[in-house]
Amino acid sequence: MRFLFWLVVSVCLTNVSEAKPLDFYFDPDVKFDSTIPTPESVLGYQVGQWHVRPDQITRYMTLLAEKSDRINIQTIGYSHEQRPLLMLTISAPNKLGSINAIQQQHVARLEGKSAELSAPVVVWMGYSVHGNESSGSNAALLVAYYLAAAQGEKIEKLLNNAVILLDPSLNPDGLARFAQWANMHKGTVLNPDPNHKEHDENWPSGRSNHYWTDLNRDWLLLQHPESRARIAQFHQWKPNIVTDFHEMGSHGTFFFQPGIPSRKHPLTPEENVTLTQDIAQFHANAFDAKKSLYFTEESFDDFYYGKGSTYPDINGSIGILFEQASSRGHQQTTINGLLEFPQTIKNQVITSLSTFDAAIANKDKLLAYQEKFYRSALTEAENDKFNGYIVHEAQDKTRMAQFLAILKQHQILAYPLTKEFKNEGAIFGAENSYYIPYAQAQYRLIKAIFSEQKSFADNTFYDVSGWTLAHAFNLEFSQVNTKRGLKFDSTPWHEQSIQPVSLTANKYAYAFEWHDYLAPKLLNQLLNKGIEARVALADFAAVTSDGNRLFTKGSIVIPAGIQQNANWFTQLEQISAGYSIAIYSIESGLTPQGIDLGSRQLAKLSPARVLLLGGSGTNSTEVGEVWYYLDRHVGIAPTIVDLDKLAGLDLSAYSHVILADGQYKQISDAVKVALRRWVKEGGVIWGHKGGAKFLADNQLLNARYISSKEMADNFSTEGLLYQDKETLAGQQRIAGAIFNTQIDLSHPLSFSLTRPLLAMFKNSTFLLEPIKAPFVNIAQYQSNPLLAGFTDERNVTQIAGGLAFVAHNYGQGRVIAMTDNPVFRGYWYGTSRLLSNALFFSHAFSAKAD
């Protein structure tokens, strides 16, 4: 058998890289304008011979727009690495000349205004949101060339009846990383062996963006510039069809939607599914003609509205997911034979063209459906038993503003209250509350964003089942069942500019509250400039330049008398000018109430020097989320080190070590000893999910956890048939749901939180058991903890009362652990403060766990 295997491999290795000409990708009857540059003429090679880089895409698309009167090109934004995000607008030349008017008329239709019968269908083509699923972006070169250069009646009909929006690379940073990897391991003779280095990327893979984030989960959350630029264009056009080109495992074939019928979101109209099926027939016809393998309806779902194929569904569009078996390089041996990169590209071209055919054939139905979608939304809003939502946050204006900014980008209007409002026994103050009425075009999206649904027709999920934004931002919110007494401004919320802070020189001390989301970033900047600061561990009142003022525990005090830097006050003024955080001038160290400013209840603060463990064995997505939070929201540049480099580090250079989710088995016993010694001498170690498990396994965290096997054992398998296998797996896992915890507000690690309940996101069955020692269990799941999303009742029962957040002494150091990821997908603003508190206040508490 071994001889036969190597015989097959040796035969395959004789396959020399062969370029595929244009007629490989297109039917032979397609004629092209010879004045339009081909991809080969610009790249210097045929498409598929090498993996295209983003800069090459930009160069070709720019030239194509220069040479073709069918194409407009614009840069709609820039990635984190400052690569341009391109949008090509493609139509007949006479339509392109009045494209702004066409766009306005298209959107006006959805507002109930009359439209011309000749209104075009708008088709959005989005390629390779996952950078290492690169057949899409490579296909985009050919699709753009076809649209620019093809001749004949078919292309004329398409261009005269459609506006095509083409995004050739949704994730250029990830694509650049993967193209470099695949190209650098390619030889003149291609190696199809799946074990070859070309097919096995280093950590992190090119799937994600600069911060190792999955951009195909960010359509709703809008935490990254690529997503924000895309959504702005989406709502300018409101496309009728949105395509999302992906790749799957190499042993697959080709998938196109519809997905599993029972797994669509209940807010998606059934007519959306019908139209998806109508479009699917065109893809099927195209593949049938080529005798190519494909499948539908038995995988993937349309539930989570944060993906490229599902966000359109809640916005009146038809989202279409394509999944091509991946060559993960230039050539790979699979169960279906030799899979060549050019073939994967060709399949993406085929479905791009069949999408155009479907759009033209179904143009009237697509336009009518979209109009009906928005018209019926207003009718359903009017008939809903609720009127909308009230959201409130009294202390943290930045966190509220970030939440409202997301709503605004989704075309959701929120109105400031002008009068106190009582609803369901709660009082919402006028100054910090906003009304989000159902009676607006985005009625369905509002319901999706605030949904707390817990049970569904099909309780198996490909992605998360709960994503309530208000819970993620730790906002108080309530459905409004009567507008009686509800008064709000006629102008919706809009972003405010930073208000400069005025400081008075030569005062005893200066202080600011810890409530604002950017307070950790402000503190970090001050500490890094050598400005001495203290954190108040108890409330106090102080005499300020504006009179007596109460400062809550967690407030940051900057005493003038202990500063060592001669120009510290100037630096304080300069740094604080970049924040809308009030800094108060304190007249005296003697306070009228609470601790005085020389109290031992004012703990010294030091800059955090963070070591973040990464590399093979760690979850790159969750490591990236920690990096993103620290970098963007706290202003800390963590030192990211692969696990296999840990043995050579001097740990004394760091104050904190962070272990995100992952498998830490490769850490040697010698390194474990060094870590324990470092913590015992005063270091702070944080772990969540797999990181917390490592801490418990190695006796750093004095807590027992419930294993995934113990959680699974709650489910009886007696009498189950083979057909029940997937259902059981869906019941046993927690795909992503929101749970409520009771948190100790007196603990320094909970400073800035004002409510005793804190929602946490959970997407694993990992669970810590409470520790019997006092003062260490900071947050525990409530007795009835499930807030939103599906979790089987047996798992909910097990989670109830479990430990969510814990911290205790270890020698002179501290061990801090969380059951869940506090910075999930970058939008969990509520729990992320636990991490920044751990960076600055970890030595402001003392609690033994033994």
Side-chain angles (χ1 to χ4, degrees):
M1 288 298 293
R2 180 178 297 179
F3 170 78
L4 288 176
F5 171 79
W6 283 112
L7 177 62
V8 171
V9 170
S10 65
V11 170
C12 290
L13 285 174
T14 65
N15 290 325
V16 178
S17 173
E18 294 182 0
K20 303 294 185 181
L22 273 177
D23 58 13
F24 171 79
Y25 295 104
F26 298 107
D27 290 339
D29 60 340
V30 179
K31 306 302 179 185
F32 294 98
D33 181 349
S34 61
T35 67
I36 301 298
T38 64
E40 180 191 15
S41 69
V42 177
L43 300 176
Y45 60 86
Q46 292 283 10
V47 173
Q49 194 172 3
W50 295 89
H51 282 256
V52 71
R53 304 188 309 268
D55 61 292
Q56 294 172 308
I57 292 176
T58 298
R59 187 167 76 251
Y60 179 66
M61 296 302 184
T62 301
L63 182 61
L64 209 56
E66 289 176 3
K67 299 296 184 180
S68 172
D69 58 1
R70 301 173 179 177
I71 299 177
N72 284 345
I73 190 169
Q74 63 183 127
T75 298
I76 61 174
Y78 290 88
S79 70
H80 282 296
E81 295 177 12
Q82 294 304 293
R83 290 186 172 89
L85 305 170
L86 302 181
M87 177 63 67
L88 279 66
T89 304
I90 306 168
S91 194
N94 63 314
K95 290 186 178 296
L96 210 56
S98 56
I99 198 68
N100 290 336
I102 291 173
Q103 180 264 327
Q104 291 168 10
Q105 290 170 10
H106 178 77
V107 174
R109 290 171 35 256
L110 310 181
E111 299 170 354
K113 300 173 184 176
S114 60
E116 298 179 13
L117 294 176
S118 61
V121 63
V122 180
V123 184
W124 179 297
M125 309 297 289
Y127 296 92
S128 298
V129 71
H130 294 144
N132 63 359
E133 299 175 5
S134 60
S135 59
S137 285
N138 283 265
L141 296 168
L142 295 160
V143 175
Y145 172 69
Y146 171 84
L147 294 170
Q151 301 293 295
E153 182 180 343
K154 184 174 182 178
I155 189 67
E156 292 297 331
K157 183 178 180 181
L158 171 63
L159 296 174
N160 280 302
N161 287 276
V163 172
I164 298 162
L165 307 171
L166 192 150
D167 185 335
S169 178
L170 294 161
N171 176 13
D173 294 352
L175 180 67
R177 197 156 62 243
F178 179 69
Q180 175 69 11
W181 178 266
N183 289 336
M184 71 187 285
H185 293 105
K186 175 197 172 189
T188 304
V189 179
L190 300 185
N191 188 334
D193 185 352
N195 297 313
H196 178 47
K197 196 171 181 65
E198 178 184 3
H199 305 123
D200 186 18
E201 292 172 84
N202 273 353
W203 185 103
S205 74
R207 174 184 176 88
S208 52
N209 77 342
H210 174 78
Y211 283 101
W212 312 331
T213 293
D214 186 339
L215 289 177
N216 197 40
R217 304 298 185 268
D218 198 45
W219 282 68
L220 187 67
L221 312 176
L222 301 181
Q223 297 302 299
H224 295 271
E226 300 93 336
S227 306
R228 292 191 288 269
R230 184 168 62 244
I231 288 300
Q233 289 296 308
F234 178 95
H235 286 294
Q236 280 189 23
W237 270 106
K238 306 282 189 185
N240 300 101
I241 295 177
V242 176
T243 59
D244 190 20
F245 289 85
H246 288 257
E247 292 179 3
M248 57 182 165
S250 300
H251 297 300
T253 57
F254 195 99
F255 168 86
F256 51 84
Q257 286 179 308
I260 297 175
S262 61
R263 296 181 191 171
K264 80 170 183 65
H265 197 288
L267 288 170
T268 300
E270 286 299 326
E271 192 175 350
N272 177 289
V273 179
T274 302
L275 282 167
T276 302
Q277 292 169 336
D278 292 343
I279 293 168
Q281 189 60 57
F282 286 80
H283 308 318
N285 293 343
F287 279 132
D288 286 347
K290 304 290 185 185
K291 304 296 188 292
S292 297
L293 298 177
Y294 61 90
F295 66 98
T296 68
E297 294 193 327
E298 61 186 80
S299 186
F300 305 103
D301 64 35
D302 286 316
F303 187 80
Y304 170 52
Y305 283 134
K307 297 187 297 183
S309 61
T310 48
Y311 182 80
D313 294 340
I314 197 64
N315 283 279
S317 306
I318 308 298
I320 304 292
L321 170 68
F322 297 115
E323 294 274 356
Q324 162 65 45
S326 178
S327 63
R328 279 293 187 269
H330 293 86
Q331 199 179 84
Q332 189 169 163
T333 303
T334 76
I335 62 171
N336 296 311
L338 185 66
L339 181 61
E340 297 182 291
F341 185 43
Q343 184 61 52
T344 70
I345 297 170
K346 181 176 182 176
N347 288 346
Q348 305 285 32
V349 173
I350 288 171
T351 46
S352 295
L353 301 186
S354 60
T355 297
F356 299 149
D357 293 342
I360 298 305
N362 292 279
K363 173 185 153 183
D364 292 341
K365 287 196 290 187
L366 289 164
L367 292 172
Y369 167 73
Q370 192 177 48
E371 289 185 43
K372 178 183 175 183
F373 179 92
Y374 283 101
R375 188 169 61 248
S376 63
L378 294 174
T379 302
E380 289 179 26
E382 187 176 328
N383 295 329
D384 200 296
K385 64 180 180 179
F386 293 99
N387 295 288
Y389 281 91
I390 292 281
V391 293
H392 173 78
E393 168 52 48
Q395 302 291 342
D396 189 347
K397 296 184 184 300
T398 296
R399 182 157 39 92
M400 175 63 89
Q402 291 295 317
F403 171 79
L404 295 171
I406 292 176
L407 298 190
K408 185 177 181 181
Q409 290 171 87
H410 290 303
Q411 310 293 295
I412 294 173
L413 304 178
Y415 298 88
L417 295 196
T418 57
K419 181 183 177 183
E420 180 181 280
F421 180 65
K422 296 181 180 179
N423 188 66
E424 301 265 318
I427 298 176
F428 294 89
E431 188 176 342
N432 303 295
S433 301
Y434 295 84
Y435 174 51
I436 302 163
Y438 276 167
Q440 53 182 304
Q442 292 291 58
Y443 161 72
R444 292 188 181 93
L445 184 55
I446 294 168
K447 289 182 75 75
I449 281 175
F450 282 93
S451 174
E452 295 181 284
Q453 189 170 348
K454 301 174 186 175
S455 183
F456 308 87
D458 187 332
N459 286 321
T460 304
F461 299 92
Y462 178 75
D463 201 79
V464 302
S465 62
W467 58 84
T468 318
L469 286 187
H471 281 317
F473 279 75
N474 192 29
L475 301 175
E476 185 179 356
F477 69 103
S478 176
Q479 278 187 306
V480 176
N481 55 19
T482 177
K483 291 196 290 185
R484 189 179 298 111
L486 179 61
K487 304 294 182 184
F488 54 91
D489 200 311
S490 59
T491 302
W493 174 88
H494 60 277
E495 193 169 1
Q496 303 288 326
S497 59
I498 293 176
Q499 299 300 313
V501 175
S502 178
L503 297 177
T504 305
N506 298 318
K507 296 300 179 180
Y508 184 87
Y510 301 85
F512 59 91
E513 295 272 13
W514 191 241
H515 297 302
D516 193 274
Y517 192 72
L518 293 180
K521 192 171 186 178
L522 171 57
L523 173 62
N524 184 61
Q525 280 190 267
L526 297 174
L527 293 175
N528 282 321
K529 286 294 184 181
I531 295 176
E532 294 287 340
R534 302 286 188 265
V535 58
L537 303 182
D539 299 345
F540 68 94
V543 179
T544 74
S545 300
D546 300 317
N548 286 5
R549 177 173 181 83
L550 178 66
F551 291 89
T552 57
K553 55 184 175 294
S555 294
I556 305 301
V557 178
I558 303 165
I562 62 172
Q563 301 302 323
Q564 304 298 313
N565 190 342
N567 65 339
W568 71 272
F569 182 76
T570 300
Q571 290 178 329
L572 175 61
E573 284 187 305
Q574 292 172 345
I575 293 171
S576 62
Y579 299 85
S580 291
I581 298 176
I583 298 182
Y584 299 91
S585 305
I586 296 177
E587 304 283 350
S588 171
L590 184 64
T591 64
Q593 180 183 334
I595 59 175
D596 294 322
L597 298 194
S599 169
R600 282 176 286 188
Q601 288 293 298
L602 282 160
K604 178 179 172 57
L605 299 174
S606 302
R609 305 181 307 281
V610 179
L611 177 65
L612 174 59
L613 301 189
S616 179
T618 65
N619 183 324
S620 64
T621 299
E622 296 208 7
V623 174
E625 287 161 357
V626 173
W627 175 28
Y628 180 77
Y629 173 69
L630 297 180
D631 186 32
R632 289 299 172 117
H633 296 305
V634 191
I636 288 177
T639 297
I640 305 173
V641 173
D642 288 1
L643 294 182
D644 60 3
K645 305 293 184 185
L646 194 54
L649 288 186
D650 176 8
L651 293 176
S652 67
Y654 307 99
S655 61
H656 292 70
V657 172
I658 297 178
L659 289 78
D661 188 35
Q663 300 285 337
Y664 292 88
K665 296 176 182 178
Q666 65 177 281
I667 295 181
S668 68
D669 289 341
V671 170
K672 293 174 185 176
V673 170
L675 276 171
R676 283 193 287 266
R677 182 171 61 248
W678 171 80
V679 177
K680 190 171 291 186
E681 292 173 355
V684 178
I685 195 163
W686 165 293
H688 61 258
K689 296 175 67 175
K693 180 180 181 297
F694 170 84
L695 297 181
D697 285 341
N698 290 279
Q699 291 78 52
L700 279 158
L701 177 66
N702 192 12
R704 182 187 180 276
Y705 58 83
I706 298 174
S707 69
S708 56
K709 182 183 183 305
E710 288 176 279
M711 294 287 281
D713 286 345
N714 290 322
F715 296 80
S716 172
T717 57
E718 185 176 349
L720 293 183
L721 303 176
Y722 187 79
Q723 68 185 22
D724 301 321
K725 183 178 179 181
E726 186 176 7
T727 300
L728 175 64
Q731 292 172 335
Q732 289 177 328
R733 72 190 287 251
I734 299 175
I738 301 172
F739 291 81
N740 220 2
T741 66
Q742 187 86 27
I743 192 158
D744 179 1
L745 291 179
S746 70
H747 198 286
L749 295 189
S750 69
F751 284 170
S752 85
L753 302 179
T754 57
R755 294 186 295 146
L757 298 180
L758 178 64
M760 292 189 182
F761 184 86
K762 190 169 191 64
N763 63 349
S764 76
T765 56
F766 178 74
L767 185 65
L768 290 166
E769 290 186 346
I771 299 173
K772 293 182 179 180
F775 319 126
V776 297
N777 299 322
I778 306 172
Q780 291 181 245
Y781 296 103
Q782 286 190 297
S783 58
N784 187 23
L786 185 61
L787 285 173
F790 171 75
T791 300
D792 187 276
E793 187 58 40
R794 283 160 286 193
N795 279 333
V796 173
T797 300
Q798 184 74 69
I799 291 168
L803 183 58
F805 186 45
V806 57
H808 61 68
N809 297 4
Y810 188 91
Q812 299 300 309
R814 302 291 184 268
V815 178
I816 305 171
M818 265 189 88
T819 302
D820 310 306
N821 177 6
V823 290
F824 179 72
R825 289 185 180 168
Y827 81 111
W828 272 82
Y829 277 50
T831 51
S832 64
R833 288 303 295 273
L834 302 178
L835 179 54
S836 53
N837 285 352
L839 297 179
F840 298 109
F841 305 154
S842 47
H843 283 286
F845 73 90
S846 178
K848 296 182 179 180
D850 46 26

